[in-house]
């Protein structure tokens, strides 16, 4: 089967570079020991589980091929040499491994771009964690997952019960991969039947020619970007910086019950409380850097929020849309109550104008939706020019009951969203089983103090609780 990439998929595919990987990451921490000390999930068990679920995410067995002479967008083709053991890997920490060691390993794994000659995903079983735990780190290219035609693999390997659900047997057999001649003939036929596609070809040719300009062109682009940033009024911030090859990862955990208490007391949404917590954490981090703040100081965030809808079959409330918008976070405001009030007002006003990106596929499929929702959120955030905001914050609600991977109970799930261009930090948030988990991905050079920002999250929550209750 050959399918042409959408325009957005193609843009994400070409955005990838050695210093700018654009894969969506997720880190699940599992309880992997029985009362008798026996291991629940091992590498072979995970291989068998993932292999049985691949029919639910068929794109994970496809790779991307460029069309010769750039006569069209790249295409998805079946990988005739698909090898699941290449994509599913095993790693271990020196036992008993600490959480800090886990996050350092995930940062190093996340720094590596995916192999463009293979299906664009990897999954790591990380053993040796203290307390009989293990972790699963997954990274899927942003071009691979759109949340509609293609879900994130973490969506389908998680089950609501200890016993994995049955999935129909897969009779997949890879077909013959097309030759360059096949792709060229197909592209010419597409151009003949879709004359408008010629505009895209010319655009790509122009982009390739522009790439020959070299360093002088890149310098000019930096100057133009700076001028645009000043013209748009985007706040100056250390969160905007050129990214290096390496990353840092940090996490924070808070209790969902606290957000609900503030939501009920203040009459705002839980999403508003989440943004207020992030705002307070960013404020404390900026103060730790001795940044001069006034009451009017703001940071501009692009915030693709997940919304809810009802499943027409069961009546259950489930996530069904992604709504991207820009919001100024009042980091200069010293009062946590006023910060929350400003945010609630801004989200209410913006809600009258924003456009929701639907994800109806998510309603009808079992599993754990947040990985797919975070992937959709990153795609939604990418529609904003990089000079119009300081940070990306994705927030995806998850189930509030325990979930399992191959019989091992999932304790925590941290999103690890990619850094968009000129973004030194991205923040992903998932609520799951009574907890709110924050995953912070950061450039290693620009954000050596990402741990300070992570530690400020629970401090910010306590500050809001003390002021509102």
């Amino acid at each position: 089967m050959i399918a042409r990439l959408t325009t957005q998929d193609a843009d994400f595919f070409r955005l990838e570079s050695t210093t700018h990987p654009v894969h969506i990451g997720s880190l699940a921490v599992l309880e992997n020991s029985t009362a008798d000390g026996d291991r629940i999930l091992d590498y072979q068990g995970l291989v068998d589980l993932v292999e049985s679920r691949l029919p639910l995410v068929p794109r994970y067995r496809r790779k991307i091929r460029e069309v010769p002479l750039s006569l069209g967008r790249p295409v998805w083709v079946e990988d005739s040499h698909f090898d699941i053991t290449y994509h599913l890997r095993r790693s271990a920490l020196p036992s008993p491994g600490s959480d800090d060691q886990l996050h350092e390993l995930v940062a190093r794994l996340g720094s590596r771009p995916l192999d463009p000659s293979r299906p664009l995903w990897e999954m790591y079983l990380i053993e040796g964690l203290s307390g009989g735990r293990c972790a699963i780190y997954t990274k899927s290219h942003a071009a691979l997952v759109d949340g509609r035609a293609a879900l994130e693999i973490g969506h389908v390997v998680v089950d609501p019960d200890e016993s994995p659900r049955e999935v129909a047997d897969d009779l997949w057999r890879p077909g013959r991969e097309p030759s360059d001649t096949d792709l060229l003939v197909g592209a010419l036929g597409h151009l003949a039947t879709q004359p408008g596609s010629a505009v895209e070809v010319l655009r790509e040719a122009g982009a390739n020619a522009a790439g020959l300009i070299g360093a002088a062109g890149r310098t000019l682009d930096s100057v133009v970007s700076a001028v645009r940033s000043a013209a748009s009024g985007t706040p100056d911030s250390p969160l905007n910086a050129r990214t290096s090859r390496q990353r840092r990862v940090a996490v924070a955990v808070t209790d969902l019950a606290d957000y609900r208490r503030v939501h009920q007391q203040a009459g705002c949404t839980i999403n508003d409380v989440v943004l207020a917590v992030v705002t307070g954490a960013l404020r404390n981090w900026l103060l730790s850097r001795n940044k001069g703040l006034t009451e009017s100081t703001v940071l501009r965030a692009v915030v693709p929020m997940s919304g809810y809808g009802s499943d027409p079959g069961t009546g259950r409330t489930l996530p069904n849309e992604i709504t991207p918008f820009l919001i100024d976070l009042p980091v200069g405001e010293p009062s946590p109550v006023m910060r929350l009030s400003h945010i609630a007002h801004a989200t209410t006003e913006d809600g009258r104008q924003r456009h929701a990106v639907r994800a109806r596929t998510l309603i009808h499929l079992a599993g754990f939706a947040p990985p797919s929702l975070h992937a959709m959120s990153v795609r939604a955030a990418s529609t904003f020019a990089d000079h119009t905001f300081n940070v990306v914050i994705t927030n995806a609600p998850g189930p509030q009951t325990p979930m399992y991977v191959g019989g091992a109970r999932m304790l925590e799930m941290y999103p690890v969203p990619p850094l968009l261009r000129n973004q030194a930090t991205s923040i992903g948030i998932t609520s799951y089983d009574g907890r709110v988990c924050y995953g912070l991905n950061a450039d290693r050079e620009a954000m050596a103090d990402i741990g300070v920002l992570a530690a400020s999250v629970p401090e910010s929550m306590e500050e809001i609780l003390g002021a509102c209750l």
Side-chain angles (χ1 to χ4, degrees):
M1 176 183 176
I2 300 176
R4 200 165 304 279
L5 273 67
T6 66
T7 301
Q8 190 179 33
D9 289 344
D11 288 343
F12 271 117
F13 178 65
R14 294 185 175 119
L15 187 63
E16 178 92 7
S17 70
T18 56
T19 59
H20 193 242
V22 286
H23 44 254
I24 316 296
S26 65
L27 174 64
V29 179
L30 309 177
E31 185 177 50
N32 199 34
S33 179
T34 66
D36 297 328
D38 296 329
R39 187 169 49 185
I40 300 171
L41 179 68
D42 59 14
Y43 175 75
Q44 189 56 51
L46 184 59
V47 170
D48 294 341
L49 175 66
V50 172
E51 198 161 30
S52 72
R53 302 294 168 86
L54 285 176
L56 302 177
V57 283
R59 193 176 282 183
Y60 276 70
R61 288 189 289 214
R62 297 171 188 164
K63 62 184 181 180
I64 294 178
R65 289 275 301 277
E66 293 274 12
V67 175
L69 306 179
S70 298
L71 290 179
R73 294 192 300 273
V75 296
W76 296 106
V77 302
E78 302 280 351
D79 182 5
S80 60
H81 301 289
F82 179 75
D83 177 7
I84 193 170
T85 59
Y86 171 84
H87 297 276
L88 213 162
R89 304 174 180 187
R90 188 177 190 178
S91 186
L93 300 171
S95 183
S98 68
D99 288 354
D100 287 344
Q101 289 173 319
L102 171 64
H103 304 151
E104 178 66 20
L105 175 60
V106 169
R108 294 185 182 278
L109 296 176
S111 300
R112 304 172 187 168
L114 294 160
D115 183 352
S117 69
R118 295 176 179 267
L120 295 169
W121 66 280
E122 293 171 1
M123 179 181 289
Y124 295 81
L125 175 64
I126 304 172
E127 300 172 302
L129 268 176
S130 61
R133 299 172 300 155
C134 71
I136 296 176
Y137 172 62
T138 306
K139 57 183 191 179
S140 301
H141 200 284
L144 186 65
V145 182
D146 62 15
R148 295 182 291 273
L151 300 176
E152 207 272 348
I153 196 165
H155 189 139
V156 300
V157 299
V158 178
D159 295 303
D161 301 302
E162 291 186 61
S163 300
R165 67 185 186 274
E166 294 293 329
V167 176
D169 290 340
D170 183 22
L171 301 178
W172 180 76
R173 293 288 184 275
R176 181 185 67 87
E177 284 192 27
S179 65
D180 286 349
T181 300
D182 294 332
L183 295 179
L184 186 59
V185 170
L188 292 173
H190 182 73
L191 288 172
T193 58
Q194 303 287 336
S197 299
V199 176
E200 287 188 35
V201 173
L202 292 175
R203 186 189 70 175
E204 290 300 324
N208 292 337
L212 298 177
I213 295 175
R218 289 192 293 273
T219 302
L220 178 61
D221 182 66
S222 298
V223 173
V224 171
S225 178
V227 171
R228 285 175 174 172
S229 178
S232 67
T234 304
D236 180 51
S237 165
L239 293 173
N240 298 107
R242 279 193 186 215
T243 54
S244 64
R245 287 175 176 265
Q246 302 302 322
R247 300 289 181 261
R248 295 180 189 270
V249 170
V251 306
V253 183
T254 51
D255 291 328
L256 181 59
D258 291 337
Y259 295 79
R260 288 173 171 161
R261 291 166 64 195
V262 175
H263 147 70
Q264 292 168 356
Q265 181 69 25
C268 58
T269 68
I270 289 180
N271 280 344
D272 293 337
V273 184
V274 168
L275 288 178
V277 169
V278 173
T279 302
L282 288 168
R283 171 183 167 81
N284 293 340
W285 169 72
L286 288 169
L287 290 173
S288 76
R289 284 198 168 196
N290 296 317
K291 295 294 181 182
L293 301 179
T294 67
E295 289 192 8
S296 61
T297 302
V298 298
L299 291 177
R300 186 161 301 150
V302 57
V303 185
M305 287 291 188
S306 303
Y308 281 100
S310 295
D311 182 342
T314 65
R316 291 184 301 163
T317 300
L318 295 172
N320 75 337
E321 65 180 31
I322 299 294
T323 307
F325 63 99
L326 287 171
I327 183 172
D328 286 345
L329 305 178
V331 293
E333 172 56 59
S335 167
V337 174
M338 290 303 298
R339 291 197 295 266
L340 178 58
S341 176
H342 287 317
I343 289 169
H345 176 75
T347 56
T348 300
E349 286 297 309
D350 188 82
R352 298 170 185 168
Q353 304 176 18
R354 52 185 134 141
H355 173 67
V357 180
R358 297 286 173 177
R360 298 195 181 279
T361 305
L362 300 177
I363 284 183
H364 301 292
L365 289 180
F368 187 69
S372 294
L373 288 168
H374 282 290
M376 293 179 65
S377 295
V378 170
R379 293 168 70 94
S382 72
T383 62
F384 292 92
D386 59 17
H387 58 272
T388 60
F389 60 93
N390 303 118
V391 64
V392 176
I393 304 170
T394 65
N395 181 16
Q400 298 309 309
T401 55
M403 304 291 283
Y404 301 84
V405 179
R409 178 173 175 170
M410 185 166 67
L411 302 174
E412 299 150 6
M413 185 279 181
Y414 301 99
V416 189
L419 302 184
L420 298 185
R421 196 170 298 279
N422 297 321
Q423 305 296 309
T425 301
S426 61
I427 302 173
I429 305 158
T430 290
S431 58
Y432 162 66
D433 197 19
R435 312 179 90 183
V436 180
C437 301
Y438 290 73
L440 288 72
N441 190 20
D443 181 76
R444 192 170 192 86
E445 295 181 7
M447 291 292 295
D449 56 352
I450 189 63
V452 174
L453 180 56
S456 296
V457 170
E459 293 175 2
S460 177
M461 183 74 254
E462 289 298 322
E463 186 182 20
I464 293 175
L465 284 171
C468 292
L469 301 181

